Amino acid sequence: MNYEQLIHETALADERLLVMTAENRALIRNLPGPLGPRFIDTGITEQTMIGAAAGLALRGRVPVVHALATFLTLRAFEFIRTDVGIPHLPVKISAFVPGFLSDGNGPTHQAIEDVSLMRGIPGMTVFAPADEQDMLVMLPAIWASPDPAYLRVNTRPATYEHAPYEMGKAEIVAEGTDVTILTYGMLFEQTLIARDLLTEAGYSVGLVNLRSLKPLDEAAVLKVVKGGSLVVTVEDHFQTGGLYSILAELLLANELTAKVLPLALKERWYKPGLLSEVLEYEGFTGQHIARRIGERLGDGEHTFGAKTKVVENVFAE
Amino acid sequence: MLRCALHDNDFMTSEKQDELKALALRVREHIVRLSTDGGCFTGASLSCADLLVYLYADFLNVHPGNLTDPERDYLFLSKGHDVPALYGTFAELGFMPKERLANHLKSNDSIYWHPNRSVPGVEFHSGSLGHLPSVALGVALDARMRGQNQKVIVITGDGELNEGTCWEALLVASAHKVNNLTIVVDRNHFQANIATEDLIPLEPLAPKFEAFGAVVKRIDGHDFAALEAAFTALPFSQDKPSVIICDTVRGRGLPSIERRADRWFCNFSSDEVIELLKELHSQEATILTSETLTVR
């Protein structure tokens, strides 16, 4: 089962589901035939596509819309906020190549403020699967929900057997007493490697795959904070407005404090290149994440020298 | 409630035109009354009062009894500034009680400067310009998908046509041969506070729409017979969207504010409102109905 097969199967069973695209068919190439008029390609028109999706949702449809994450969240932002957010319509935004997944495209294509923008819309839900398997287990709940949803599409193959999905619940991979890594999306893969390296060095390392940033599994995050270990937020997003900000808001609302190491993009766009080059340069390979956490822990002994081999992103246009 | 025979083939009778004029006059009274205590977009609303009256009283299959019927006709007011004309029309036709207009800009209600769906009959909120052509496109696509035959009409302002998404939506509608979508332009020749042709000229407007794949008719937007002739001919093509350009006068009905750039938004004193109501009735004295002149 892949994304396309899941949406095909779901659409056959539920006539409310519509597939829309602003001429980005990478994930849905084979659907025009089977879905007939329920496949709507508006051409390169992100704003109009979102508006039309709102009109379709007004009539009881559940449009699943496809385009590049950056153009949906930035170019069409006001249309999402105004046409989808204000009337709270169940438009499902499937955002392609978010975060580091736009690898070689350059800053125009880097959706690294998308979580910040989308979570700022009242009622909008925000999902960031760790890989394709994680995405497939969460999509049925997302599509069945009456809420508007933003999905950071991630079709990278799973390196971890994910637990079943429950809306609003994080996946607790491991609990640890020295450090706990909170993450979402494609960097989950690298944090697993980092966790192994840190564990080999003798640390007790927790790891939480948040799965959704909104709703946030506040109970899981608060448990980590109250556990007293170093909390590390790992995200392919600007530090402002993403997980680090979400954690800060949660801590303040609960009158708590914590030792936090944010690993995020600070005040600049990332260096474009092959995904392996991006992660290496920006310091987000498993090795780099482990090293950066080790430094924070004051580890002078371990070098975390095992270089991470990163499987390249398959960029389907 | 005034509801004339739909789609009769006869040219609109003078009696029917008089009825619509009388209704439009009452709608204009509401607009004038809303132009105080905080004010409203008076000039912009007056230009499309006749259009809205014609559509709701005579043309569209939408009325207080079928507002949730999926086969009703849809009207989207993309040019949200005109909402006083919509409120007035809705109040006169029983969509909402006239007393509700007294709640304008009060926190105990949701009657304010732009349309929102808490007002029965408002299909979608507006205010930010250039949005509803694409929302209407989505509704038209769904209606067609379900084999329903209703009209989906979106009213835009002429200044609003500066927004690129109006044209983008038309491109998509043309590509998908959406013949149940009609874009109506309230061509009052002003965008906010400046004449359109002095800032971002639109003419020649009809050929622009035609070049984007629509079939266009251009009419006098204050002439009920012309409105009927155009709207009853919809769709103009079996495989293209339709466009009706209604040439209108901003401030229509009140010569003292007609065509004035500075009368887009007005906030008159009570005394000014009384004078304007007198002016309004002196223009249309022959068709005055039993409605009394009162100022809230």
Side-chain angles (χ1 to χ4, degrees):
Chain A
M1 180 75 83
N2 62 19
Y3 177 86
E4 185 175 59
Q5 289 159 344
L6 181 66
I7 200 166
H8 186 185
E9 197 174 88
T10 310
L12 289 184
D14 184 351
E15 67 161 17
R16 294 176 310 151
L17 209 75
L18 290 170
V19 173
M20 300 181 77
T21 179
E23 215 265 298
N24 180 253
R25 300 191 182 196
L27 298 175
I28 47 176
R29 218 171 279 295
N30 299 303
L31 297 184
L35 295 191
R38 284 199 284 144
F39 183 97
I40 301 169
D41 192 337
T42 61
I44 304 168
T45 60
E46 291 83 4
Q47 299 166 98
T48 290
M49 176 178 67
I50 293 293
L56 286 154
L58 204 58
R59 297 265 298 175
R61 302 286 190 177
V62 178
V64 183
V65 304
H66 301 79
L68 296 196
T70 188
F71 304 128
L72 282 168
T73 56
L74 293 171
R75 186 183 286 267
F77 180 74
E78 199 221 354
F79 289 72
I80 295 175
R81 171 197 176 274
T82 296
D83 299 347
V84 176
I86 292 175
H88 197 82
L89 293 169
V91 173
K92 311 298 178 179
I93 301 163
S94 264
F96 197 56
V97 294
F100 286 148
L101 293 178
S102 84
D103 50 12
N105 277 294
T108 55
H109 286 53
Q110 294 174 4
I112 45 183
E113 59 287 271
D114 56 334
V115 169
S116 171
L117 289 169
M118 290 295 112
R119 80 183 181 94
I121 297 173
M124 177 65 73
T125 53
V126 179
F127 301 88
D131 47 51
E132 184 167 43
Q133 191 218 331
D134 201 26
M135 182 167 75
L136 295 181
V137 296
M138 60 174 82
L139 277 173
I142 295 170
W143 290 337
S145 157
D147 300 323
Y150 176 74
L151 173 78
R152 273 192 148 197
V153 166
N154 182 359
T155 55
R156 287 176 69 77
T159 58
Y160 179 81
E161 186 66 30
H162 292 283
Y165 181 71
E166 187 182 345
M167 179 73 82
K169 293 289 181 209
E171 182 178 46
I172 314 297
V173 175
E175 297 186 13
T177 53
D178 296 319
V179 56
T180 302
I181 303 170
L182 303 178
T183 192
Y184 59 89
M186 62 84 61
L187 284 174
F188 174 76
E189 182 185 342
Q190 299 302 320
T191 62
L192 273 179
I193 295 166
R195 180 178 178 272
D196 287 345
L197 293 172
L198 286 160
T199 304
E200 282 167 20
Y203 295 102
S204 168
V205 185
L207 175 58
V208 178
N209 170 24
L210 285 166
R211 291 184 147 175
S212 66
L213 285 311
K214 192 181 167 188
L216 180 73
D217 191 341
E218 294 188 0
V221 176
L222 288 172
K223 189 177 175 203
V224 167
V225 170
K226 289 173 178 169
S229 64
L230 171 68
V231 182
V232 184
T233 55
V234 179
E235 54 190 323
D236 52 339
H237 190 277
F238 284 133
Q239 185 169 308
T240 298
L243 176 56
Y244 177 67
S245 296
I246 291 169
L247 177 63
E249 290 166 17
L250 184 69
L251 288 175
L252 206 54
N254 287 275
E255 300 181 11
L256 291 170
T257 188
K259 290 178 291 178
V260 182
L261 170 64
L263 300 185
L265 291 159
K266 295 184 177 74
E267 290 294 320
R268 64 177 186 83
W269 284 269
Y270 65 79
K271 185 96 162 61
L274 282 175
L275 184 63
S276 59
E277 298 280 332
V278 171
L279 296 187
E280 186 66 32
Y281 186 88
E282 300 292 344
F284 285 90
T285 65
Q287 179 198 9
H288 281 296
I289 293 169
R291 180 183 51 73
R292 293 167 79 180
I293 293 171
E295 281 171 8
R296 174 61 190 260
L297 290 170
D299 188 323
E301 183 186 344
H302 301 98
T303 56
F304 304 102
K307 192 170 166 66
T308 307
K309 186 176 184 330
V310 175
V311 177
E312 295 298 351
N313 191 26
V314 179
F315 182 78
E317 79 293 348
Chain B
M1 192 184 83
L2 182 137
R3 175 160 284 272
C4 307
L6 284 172
H7 301 200
D8 52 13
N9 292 323
D10 299 327
F11 203 62
M12 189 183 277
T13 62
S14 60
E15 291 79 10
K16 186 164 150 187
Q17 290 190 49
D18 286 348
E19 271 189 282
L20 292 172
K21 281 181 190 170
L23 178 59
L25 182 63
R26 297 202 295 277
V27 169
R28 286 190 165 89
E29 283 180 24
H30 291 302
I31 295 170
V32 170
R33 289 190 188 110
L34 289 168
S35 304
T36 186
D37 291 343
C40 69
F41 295 94
T42 315
S45 300
L46 288 166
S47 68
C48 79
D50 297 314
L51 172 64
L52 289 176
V53 161
Y54 167 71
L55 289 174
Y56 280 104
D58 198 55
F59 178 70
L60 294 172
N61 175 30
V62 57
H63 51 79
N66 74 346
L67 294 181
T68 57
D69 179 350
E71 300 205 39
R72 70 188 181 280
D73 289 338
Y74 282 75
L75 186 142
F76 291 94
L77 191 62
S78 195
K79 184 197 180 202
H81 293 136
D82 289 355
V83 75
L86 198 64
Y87 295 151
T89 304
F90 284 171
E92 287 297 323
L93 297 179
F95 286 67
M96 66 174 178
K98 291 176 189 171
E99 300 75 51
R100 197 172 170 186
L101 296 181
N103 299 343
H104 189 230
L105 302 178
K106 304 284 194 293
S107 58
N108 65 349
D109 204 340
S110 297
I111 306 283
Y112 50 89
W113 288 324
H114 293 106
N116 74 90
R117 288 203 289 161
S118 77
V119 179
V122 172
E123 300 286 3
F124 209 75
H125 59 285
S126 56
S128 178
L129 297 175
H131 281 246
L132 297 205
S134 55
V135 174
L137 166 67
V139 169
L141 281 167
D142 185 67
R144 188 177 68 178
M145 229 180 287
R146 295 176 193 272
Q148 295 167 348
N149 200 27
Q150 71 261 47
K151 305 280 192 299
V152 180
I153 288 173
V154 56
I155 297 177
T156 71
D158 45 5
E160 183 175 7
L161 294 176
N162 291 359
E163 299 280 11
T165 45
C166 295
W167 302 94
E168 192 174 292
L170 180 56
L171 276 180
V172 177
S174 300
H176 287 264
K177 299 181 167 47
V178 182
N179 74 347
N180 51 341
L181 177 69
T182 302
I183 297 173
V184 181
V185 183
D186 180 23
R187 179 72 170 119
N188 67 20
H189 303 265
F190 283 94
Q191 59 166 66
N193 297 301
I194 302 176
T196 58
E197 302 311 285
D198 290 343
L199 188 64
I200 308 293
L202 281 172
E203 299 297 342
L205 186 53
K208 284 192 175 75
F209 282 118
E210 285 162 355
F212 274 65
V215 182
V216 186
K217 286 189 194 300
R218 187 162 189 162
I219 59 171
D220 176 347
H222 301 302
D223 179 340
F224 288 111
L227 286 164
E228 179 177 73
F231 279 92
T232 54
L234 288 173
F236 300 151
S237 161
Q238 285 310 307
D239 56 4
K240 292 180 177 182
S242 304
V243 171
I244 299 176
I245 302 170
C246 293
D247 279 306
T248 61
V249 174
R250 194 159 89 174
R252 170 75 170 196
L254 292 170
S256 64
I257 72 165
E258 276 184 7
R259 295 187 177 87
R260 276 180 56 175
D262 61 349
R263 286 294 180 262
W264 174 52
F265 183 91
C266 303
N267 188 8
F268 295 115
S269 68
S270 297
D271 289 344
E272 286 171 319
V273 166
I274 290 169
E275 290 306 308
L276 287 167
L277 288 172
K278 285 179 187 164
E279 181 185 350
L280 188 63
H281 283 271
S282 72
Q283 297 300 305
E284 307 275 357
T286 56
I287 54 162
L288 261 181
T289 63
S290 60
E291 291 287 308
T292 54
L293 291 178
T294 54
V295 181
R296 68 180 171 85

